[in-house]
Amino acid sequence: MSISRREEVLHAAAELFAEQGFHAVGMRAIADAVGVRGSSLYHYFPSKVDLLHAIAVDSTRAFIESQLEDLNPSPDYASRVRKMMFDHVVYFHEHRMEEAVGLRELQELRKHKPEAYTELQTLRRTYQNELERLITEGRDKGEFSCEDPHITTLAILGMVNTINDWYRPHRDGPIEDIADIYSSLIVERMLGKTA
Amino acid sequence: MSISRREEVLHAAAELFAEQGFHAVGMRAIADAVGVRGSSLYHYFPSKVDLLHAIAVDSTRAFIESQLEDLNPSPDYASRVRKMMFDHVVYFHEHRMEEAVGLRELQELRKHKPEAYTELQTLRRTYQNELERLITEGRDKGEFSCEDPHITTLAILGMVNTINDWYRPHRDGPIEDIADIYSSLIVERMLGKTA
DNA sequence: GTCTATAGAGGGATAGAC
DNA sequence: GTCTATCCCTCTATAGAC
């Protein structure tokens, strides 16, 4: 099962954009990483910004959809939030290059592809709303003692989205362990899971 | 009390770098913002990277020093952590342009000014260690019920350092209110302040 | 201390052969 | 689908007049 050249280009570009930033990476550098000439990239993407577009929107959509499709059938809210956060941490680690690009190059997309920027913001907002809804309903059901679901949601997302800034597998152990610690911190402590 | 032209340049550059990123901003754009020609900037800074250096290192050092100098004499650890986090949130909002640059352009500094990068990392590490120390000692004294001071410290810093990504004064109210909510979330909940 | 003018390098992108 | 060749533009930085 070999991957297409187009996917090769996307992956190489994501890695370089994540490490150095969109403007620091030239089309020639991406081409070098794939083993072709700069002009060959234009066979797959009409411009450098379209490359960024594909990386940011595709990866964000894939993440949101995978997270929201099987909002698991667990009856209690605590289990549902716990699973959502655990999966979030693991997924963000496994796709850290693409997700870093999606988080950091927002303004570039806003400038050159406004409709792609809007789509990204809508996707993020959908995810944020879903988390806030789980927290609010869980609190109304008496499962949580959380005081401010909105701000707490933003705090949680800030926490989990910055793990990749410090996490190094060899030094910090398996990502699943980190995901466990964060999930507990969120559900038991920040949300004050009762009983 | 007028500010020097050098400071004008630093402030304009910080704002532009924060909004668009280091590589997206040309020396001409910075010069335009100040009202001079591009070449005039080289009277104050030998290169564009030196401008970034000044913004990132100076602002980070100012923040760390202001935070660590009056580690207030309050006897209990809960009050000390609360004040540290409250001040952190307010300071980061008031200096959001410079701090955004310091957080986001690390790799650029690492590439072109390794010694400046090292200094920045040392400063950050000092601050992180101080927070972790307060949490660990507070737990040992029985004030907190925190289980993993190291990971909890990283989670807290991720939370507070991403507030500027979503906070808008007109929509979200005074920054002091946000600082209060975050401080409580951290001290009462994440650290499990006892009694 | 600010200007004009420009050097020198590298950027994104296109044309057209194969 | 990939190449060579190249266009045109913008970038950082410098030289030297004022």
Side-chain angles (χ1 to χ4, degrees):
Chain A
M1 182 197 115
S2 68
I3 63 173
S4 71
R5 171 129 289 178
R6 184 175 188 276
E7 286 171 283
E8 257 189 289
V9 172
L10 277 173
H11 191 259
E15 200 152 329
L16 290 166
F17 288 165
E19 283 164 6
Q20 314 181 42
F22 179 73
H23 282 292
V25 177
M27 291 299 264
R28 288 166 180 81
I30 299 167
D32 283 351
V34 180
V36 296
R37 297 295 185 177
S39 58
S40 302
L41 300 177
Y42 292 89
H43 177 70
Y44 302 100
F45 301 93
S47 78
K48 192 187 172 190
V49 169
D50 285 283
L51 239 177
L52 175 62
H53 176 139
I55 294 167
V57 175
D58 291 1
S59 69
T60 301
R61 185 160 34 205
F63 168 65
I64 307 287
E65 286 178 359
S66 97
Q67 279 289 71
L68 295 189
E69 72 185 10
D70 81 322
L71 264 188
N72 78 19
S74 180
D76 62 309
Y77 285 90
S79 302
R80 289 162 75 178
V81 173
R82 174 181 288 277
K83 172 170 164 46
M84 187 175 175
M85 292 298 100
F86 183 94
D87 292 348
H88 185 124
V89 172
V90 174
Y91 190 104
F92 252 61
H93 170 65
E94 282 167 356
H95 300 78
R96 73 203 86 104
M97 297 303 176
E98 291 83 353
E99 299 300 336
V101 175
L103 283 174
R104 287 182 191 143
E105 306 294 350
L106 268 182
Q107 77 289 2
E108 212 56 48
L109 222 50
R110 178 175 211 171
K111 198 190 226 169
H112 297 104
K113 289 247 164 181
E115 82 293 346
Y117 172 79
T118 304
E119 184 184 354
L120 250 173
Q121 290 297 75
T122 304
L123 284 167
R124 278 196 203 301
R125 175 59 64 141
T126 301
Y127 187 69
Q128 178 187 319
N129 286 347
E130 178 61 19
L131 178 57
E132 185 172 335
R133 188 183 67 78
L134 287 180
I135 292 172
T136 305
E137 293 185 11
R139 183 196 58 174
D140 294 346
K141 289 271 200 303
E143 275 193 55
F144 302 137
S145 69
C146 173
E147 275 138 23
D148 191 325
H150 182 62
I151 300 290
T152 304
T153 299
L154 294 165
I156 290 170
L157 291 176
M159 267 173 60
V160 294
N161 286 340
T162 50
I163 293 175
N164 289 332
D165 293 344
W166 57 263
Y167 175 70
R168 299 292 174 270
H170 284 50
R171 182 190 59 194
D172 302 313
I175 190 65
E176 289 79 9
D177 290 2
I178 306 294
D180 257 331
I181 296 172
Y182 266 69
S183 303
S184 295
L185 197 51
I186 290 165
V187 175
E188 324 280 349
R189 293 183 174 271
M190 297 178 74
L191 301 182
K193 181 189 167 194
T194 55
Chain B
M1 180 197 114
S2 67
I3 64 173
S4 71
R5 170 130 289 181
R6 194 191 126 96
E7 285 170 283
E8 256 188 287
V9 172
L10 276 174
H11 190 260
E15 201 153 328
L16 290 165
F17 288 166
E19 283 166 5
Q20 313 181 42
F22 179 73
H23 276 105
V25 177
M27 292 299 261
R28 287 169 181 83
I30 299 167
D32 283 352
V34 180
V36 296
R37 297 294 184 175
S39 59
S40 301
L41 301 177
Y42 292 89
H43 176 69
Y44 300 99
F45 301 94
S47 78
K48 191 187 171 189
V49 169
D50 283 282
L51 238 176
L52 175 63
H53 176 139
I55 294 166
V57 175
D58 290 2
S59 69
T60 302
R61 185 160 35 207
F63 168 65
I64 307 286
E65 286 177 359
S66 96
Q67 280 288 71
L68 296 189
E69 72 186 10
D70 81 321
L71 263 187
N72 78 20
S74 179
D76 61 308
Y77 285 89
S79 303
R80 289 162 75 178
V81 173
R82 174 181 289 277
K83 172 170 163 46
M84 188 176 176
M85 291 298 98
F86 183 94
D87 291 349
H88 184 124
V89 172
V90 174
Y91 190 104
F92 252 61
H93 170 66
E94 282 167 356
H95 301 77
R96 75 202 84 104
M97 298 303 177
E98 291 83 353
E99 298 300 336
V101 175
L103 283 174
R104 287 184 189 141
E105 307 294 350
L106 268 182
Q107 78 288 2
E108 211 55 47
L109 222 50
R110 178 174 211 171
K111 198 188 223 169
H112 296 104
K113 289 248 165 181
E115 83 292 347
Y117 171 79
T118 304
E119 184 184 354
L120 250 173
Q121 290 297 75
T122 304
L123 285 165
R124 278 194 203 302
R125 176 57 65 141
T126 302
Y127 187 69
Q128 178 187 321
N129 286 348
E130 178 60 19
L131 178 57
E132 185 171 336
R133 189 183 67 78
L134 287 180
I135 292 172
T136 305
E137 292 185 11
R139 183 196 56 174
D140 293 347
K141 288 273 201 302
E143 275 193 55
F144 302 138
S145 69
C146 173
E147 275 139 23
D148 191 325
H150 181 61
I151 300 290
T152 304
T153 298
L154 294 165
I156 290 170
L157 291 176
M159 266 173 61
V160 295
N161 285 340
T162 50
I163 292 175
N164 289 332
D165 293 343
W166 57 263
Y167 175 70
R168 299 291 175 272
H170 283 50
R171 184 190 57 193
D172 302 313
I175 190 65
E176 289 80 8
D177 290 1
I178 306 294
D180 257 330
I181 296 173
Y182 266 69
S183 303
S184 294
L185 197 51
I186 291 166
V187 175
E188 324 281 349
R189 294 184 173 271
M190 298 177 74
L191 301 181
K193 183 189 167 194
T194 55

